[in-house]
Amino acid sequence: MIEDPTDTAGTDADDDADRKVVEQERAELKAFVKGLSADDIKSGNWFSKLMSHAMSSYTEKVDWQYFQERYEGVPPDAVVDQRIKMAARYAALEGGLSAGAYTATVIATLGSAGGASPATVPAAAATMMIDVAFVTRLQLRLAYDVAVLYRVPLDLSDPDDAWKLIRVAFTIKSGEAAREGVAKAVPALVRPLVKRFYSGDVLTAAKALPVVGKHLLQKNVIKIGIPLVGVPLAAVLNRYTTLLAGRHAQAVFRNEARVIEIARNLSRTTRHPQLMLWVAWLVIRANHKIADDEALLMRHLVTMVREQHQVVDEELAGLVDIDAAEVWRRLDAEPGDLSDLLDAADRVAMVDGPVDAREKAVIAELRDRCRRA
């Protein structure tokens, strides 16, 4: 678990406390790794087992109330920032410990094994797996913490939500974003190391956990591939890849929280919940494209309207192509003030960035009809 970031880092006492936490977690993961078979590691099945081991009890304990009790009144951005920094510090400490043990194991083996490759040394492989398991679990839990702090619902018994967490935690399909983040987040001296960590193809496979396990092993093996150089390299990579993973999780879940907030406010303030859904969908489909944020907004908007107004529109749910004339017919049949629909259209159009010409045209027509009403 990522301990509470309530103390200021940097003192000897803080360093000793952090090291103690890291050593305890390494000991726990050492027992986990001992239970893995060679086939588990080779096939990538170790990740499936770690996912269950890392998150089952954690998600039962860590929820919104858990953070409220510790940081009542503190804005989520502040807590997220501190937890990312704490996780990065733990990752760096663990990298140094694991790489140090790995290097010592290789040196002890060279004389008796005739220059055996590090990859063939069982003790070294076990140390590598402890390091990979530690950072993997740390980043999974960090991403989950960020989601909880921004009040983005995640049900890890739902395969889609579990995959979302995995994708966010390890920047899967976001390698370019991670590499771009290197320039801003990492000191110039170590950028080549972190860029190498993110180099190559990012994972685009289907939702197969063993494939993720292989992907993570391939990325992490470079940290300890050079004996005697591995200690600083592993500490640096652990720190900055965890930092980047945390920032990526913050960007993703903070944005989703923003969209959920828009949906909640639109549902709460509208006087025409059912018609608002038709107007929102018309604006989204105006340019014949659906951005991720637009799809996310529509999904949450439908949920909020159902929960707050008990409105479920089966006709809209089954619609393939939306006809503007049908929306205008519904609008013209509605008496009274329709300004809430115009406000909703404006906010929907801006959810994914600047409003384009086709969205502006739909909103202009809506404005004229609302004024006539």
Side-chain angles (χ1 to χ4, degrees):
M1 176 179 293
I2 302 173
E3 293 298 311
D4 294 336
T6 51
D7 299 325
T8 302
T11 67
D12 291 341
D14 291 330
D15 291 344
D16 290 343
D18 290 349
R19 183 176 290 271
K20 185 176 180 180
V21 170
V22 169
E23 288 175 343
Q24 287 174 343
E25 295 205 2
R26 287 185 80 249
E28 179 187 339
L29 287 168
K30 184 176 181 180
F32 167 79
V33 169
K34 272 189 173 182
L36 297 175
S37 67
D39 185 63
D40 286 333
I41 296 173
K42 184 178 179 181
S43 67
N45 283 332
W46 66 271
F47 179 75
S48 308
K49 295 183 176 183
L50 181 68
M51 182 81 177
S52 176
H53 178 268
M55 302 307 296
S56 56
S57 60
Y58 191 76
T59 55
E60 292 176 4
K61 178 179 180 180
V62 178
D63 55 14
W64 172 248
Q65 187 62 35
Y66 172 88
F67 289 117
Q68 275 293 91
E69 291 172 359
R70 287 157 179 76
Y71 313 108
E72 186 175 4
V74 180
D77 283 348
V79 183
V80 167
D81 182 72
Q82 289 304 303
R83 292 190 83 78
I84 291 172
K85 290 174 181 175
M86 174 67 77
R89 190 157 65 251
Y90 283 0
L93 283 169
E94 194 283 330
L97 292 171
S98 281
Y102 173 86
T103 302
T105 302
V106 173
I107 291 172
T109 307
L110 288 177
S112 58
S117 166
T120 66
V121 180
T127 300
M128 181 185 73
M129 280 307 305
I130 292 169
D131 174 62
V132 174
F134 183 98
V135 175
T136 297
R137 185 172 75 169
L138 185 70
Q139 293 180 0
L140 276 171
R141 289 180 171 178
L142 175 60
Y144 182 80
D145 287 352
V146 173
V148 171
L149 281 161
Y150 286 121
R151 307 190 76 168
V152 174
L154 284 180
D155 176 7
L156 297 192
S157 65
D158 182 330
D160 287 339
D161 278 4
W163 179 246
K164 178 196 285 189
L165 180 70
I166 292 167
R167 192 176 65 243
V168 171
F170 307 118
T171 64
I172 292 172
K173 295 187 180 180
S174 301
E176 287 300 327
R179 282 192 287 273
E180 290 167 6
V182 168
K184 296 180 180 178
V186 179
L189 185 64
V190 297
R191 282 176 199 165
L193 301 179
V194 184
K195 284 184 176 180
R196 184 182 168 196
F197 183 87
Y198 284 109
S199 66
D201 294 332
V202 294
L203 184 64
T204 56
K207 304 173 185 179
L209 298 189
V211 176
V212 178
K214 289 183 177 181
H215 173 74
L216 293 175
L217 275 178
Q218 289 167 358
K219 287 211 311 180
N220 278 274
V221 75
I222 71 166
K223 291 187 300 190
I224 46 180
I226 308 173
L228 303 179
V229 180
V231 176
L233 181 61
V236 163
L237 281 175
N238 276 10
R239 173 178 172 76
Y240 285 107
T241 56
T242 299
L243 189 66
L244 289 174
R247 297 300 181 209
H248 177 66
Q250 182 177 29
V252 170
F253 290 126
R254 192 180 193 281
N255 180 66
E256 184 163 350
R258 174 187 68 88
V259 174
I260 291 173
E261 188 174 86
I262 292 171
R264 182 182 297 111
N265 289 337
L266 288 178
S267 177
R268 179 175 52 83
T269 58
T270 188
R271 296 181 297 277
H272 308 87
Q274 187 168 11
L275 188 51
M276 180 189 65
L277 294 178
W278 284 80
V279 169
W281 191 235
L282 181 64
V283 172
I284 289 172
R285 297 297 289 142
N287 55 15
H288 307 296
K289 297 183 295 183
I290 305 175
D292 289 344
D293 284 348
E294 291 176 326
L296 186 64
L297 175 64
M298 197 64 193
R299 180 164 65 86
H300 285 295
L301 200 54
V302 168
T303 300
M304 298 295 179
V305 166
R306 182 176 65 245
E307 292 176 353
Q308 295 178 5
H309 302 279
Q310 293 73 54
V311 170
V312 177
D313 194 320
E314 297 293 349
E315 186 177 355
L316 181 63
L319 206 62
V320 176
D321 290 321
I322 188 164
D323 183 0
E326 172 62 17
V327 180
W328 303 143
R329 184 191 66 77
R330 290 169 178 261
L331 193 78
D332 293 342
E334 196 71 37
D337 182 7
L338 302 178
S339 59
D340 59 308
L341 297 176
L342 186 58
D343 177 62
D346 285 333
R347 299 186 71 179
V348 169
M350 292 187 293
V351 73
D352 63 331
V355 182
D356 66 27
R358 291 181 177 179
E359 290 170 335
K360 287 179 180 178
V362 169
I363 294 172
E365 176 70 16
L366 176 64
R367 181 176 290 107
D368 288 343
R369 290 177 179 270
C370 288
R371 283 174 179 167
R372 288 202 297 269

